[in-house]
Amino acid sequence: VDPASFPDPIVLLDMIEERLRASGVYKDKVTRKNRCIRLFFDKFHLDILPACPMPSTGLYGEYAVVVPDCDADDWKPSNPRGYAKWFDFMAQEAIIRFMKSVEPLPEQQSCDELSTLSLGVQLLKRNRDIVFENKPKRAPISIVLTTLAAQNYHGQPSVSEAIAAVLDGIVAMIPNIANRRLVVLNPTNLEEDLSERWDDAPEAYLDFVSWIREFRDQWRQLIELRGVGIHKISAVLERMFGERITKEVVEEHIRAYEEPRQSGGLAVERGTGLIVPATVVLSTPIRRNTFYGKE
């Protein structure tokens, strides 16, 4: 699409929506969004986003585009393809830097390591959904959280360490000057302010600041609970991420320990009381639970 052919990009969205509503297959699935036409299916939705190539400055700027924006009634800069490439790069590059700093770089990184940032982003968004359940219009949008997380991830191998670093980093980025907000630019198209909606909704920005600081404090408290018992940790996790997800995770955690325990693979480390593999020196094996008083 050539933007010069559609000086009013909303006309282009109107044409796409009209064509879809004329279809017997899609007419009941169509919803107009600010920048796209969304088709709802049983288990997923599909966004149709018309875009015009418009290379820009920034990483992967060759993929930059302009897209329709109903609120602005104009074309707005964006770069969805470049952003996806940037996020993957940030996740992998941070891990490589971390590994080089602690030990020789292995020949190949595992999939689990490469997913740490993505898992951290999922937890960040899950807590956001819980906290803003009753005021969803004030919730920070996912692209802002994803960008901030990627910018503050430094290759930590565990999700726990990664989230701690991300939250500390985001809090440190918040300006301490009155009437100034955190500006989150699209790193692949510096002309796009991903956080621009905070200009018209300062109360939403204040809610974001309050939430991210509270989440940071809660995460620190959660880390301090290590070793105090799964029931106490579960109570905190339920408040942070919801009862259903917490229950599923705790049950999976218990199964992960129960299997090696029954096979004699777990022990208690002397002096620390930590549960460790039975092969660790100076540890006492944990007996298999037979439920009838004998081994």
Side-chain angles (χ1 to χ4, degrees):
V1 177
D2 182 358
S5 303
F6 292 92
D8 182 356
I10 310 307
V11 173
L12 180 57
L13 278 178
D14 290 340
M15 293 172 61
I16 296 173
E17 181 178 4
E18 181 180 355
R19 184 64 179 267
L20 289 170
R21 291 192 182 278
S23 166
V25 176
Y26 300 117
K27 64 179 181 179
D28 296 328
K29 298 178 173 62
V30 177
T31 298
R32 169 72 72 93
K33 306 296 287 186
N34 182 46
R35 290 190 172 188
C36 66
I37 305 298
R38 177 166 294 178
L39 297 178
F40 284 95
F41 297 90
D42 290 340
K43 296 183 179 180
F44 67 96
H45 66 260
L46 175 67
D47 289 341
I48 300 175
L49 175 67
C52 307
M54 191 69 67
S56 71
T57 57
L59 294 171
Y60 304 104
E62 65 271 23
Y63 298 104
V65 295
V66 290
V67 298
D69 190 293
C70 292
D71 290 342
D73 195 23
D74 200 356
W75 295 99
K76 295 295 288 287
S78 188
N79 193 352
R81 287 182 62 193
Y83 186 91
K85 291 179 179 294
W86 170 80
F87 183 84
D88 290 341
F89 169 80
M90 293 295 286
Q92 185 168 2
E93 185 66 16
I95 290 171
I96 292 174
R97 290 197 305 269
F98 179 84
M99 296 300 291
K100 283 183 176 179
S101 70
V102 296
E103 61 182 38
L105 182 65
E107 293 184 1
Q108 185 174 2
Q109 301 293 316
S110 72
C111 293
D112 288 341
E113 287 175 334
L114 294 179
S115 67
T116 301
L117 176 57
S118 296
L119 291 172
V121 170
Q122 289 179 14
L123 290 176
L124 197 65
K125 293 193 290 187
R126 176 60 183 173
N127 184 257
R128 183 261 328 256
D129 294 343
I130 294 292
V131 172
F132 289 90
E133 181 178 8
N134 296 324
K135 46 181 179 180
K137 291 185 178 180
R138 291 196 182 188
I141 59 177
S142 295
I143 190 69
V144 166
L145 299 183
T146 302
T147 303
L148 290 172
Q151 290 173 336
N152 289 284
Y153 174 60
H154 304 296
Q156 291 82 0
S158 76
V159 175
S160 174
E161 294 173 320
I163 293 182
V166 164
L167 293 173
D168 284 341
I170 295 175
V171 170
M173 292 173 68
I174 297 173
N176 292 321
I177 302 175
N179 300 321
R180 281 191 58 187
R181 67 168 176 85
L182 174 64
V183 177
V184 184
L185 299 179
N186 184 340
T188 66
N189 191 336
L190 300 179
E191 297 179 13
E192 182 180 15
D193 180 359
L194 301 174
S195 55
E196 64 181 2
R197 63 179 59 191
W198 282 335
D199 289 334
D200 298 324
E203 69 285 352
Y205 175 68
L206 294 177
D207 283 349
F208 159 76
V209 172
S210 176
W211 163 66
I212 205 70
R213 286 174 173 163
E214 177 66 19
F215 190 21
R216 188 270 310 268
D217 294 342
Q218 288 179 333
W219 195 260
R220 287 178 174 177
Q221 294 170 5
L222 182 64
I223 292 176
E224 293 174 357
L225 288 177
R226 288 176 177 172
V228 302
I230 193 65
H231 62 289
K232 291 185 179 180
I233 294 177
S234 296
V236 176
L237 288 174
E238 285 184 11
R239 292 195 297 271
M240 296 174 69
F241 303 112
E243 181 179 356
R244 180 184 61 82
I245 289 181
T246 297
K247 184 178 180 180
E248 292 176 357
V249 170
V250 170
E251 289 178 350
E252 182 178 347
H253 176 78
I254 292 174
R255 286 195 298 270
Y257 274 92
E258 188 61 22
E259 291 176 4
R261 177 185 178 181
Q262 294 299 329
S263 63
L266 290 182
V268 176
E269 187 177 30
R270 300 172 193 173
T272 66
L274 295 176
I275 297 177
V276 295
T279 54
V280 173
V281 179
L282 298 179
S283 64
T284 302
I286 298 176
R287 291 187 176 184
R288 184 169 60 91
N289 189 350
T290 60
F291 300 102
Y292 50 81
K294 295 182 180 180
E295 187 174 345

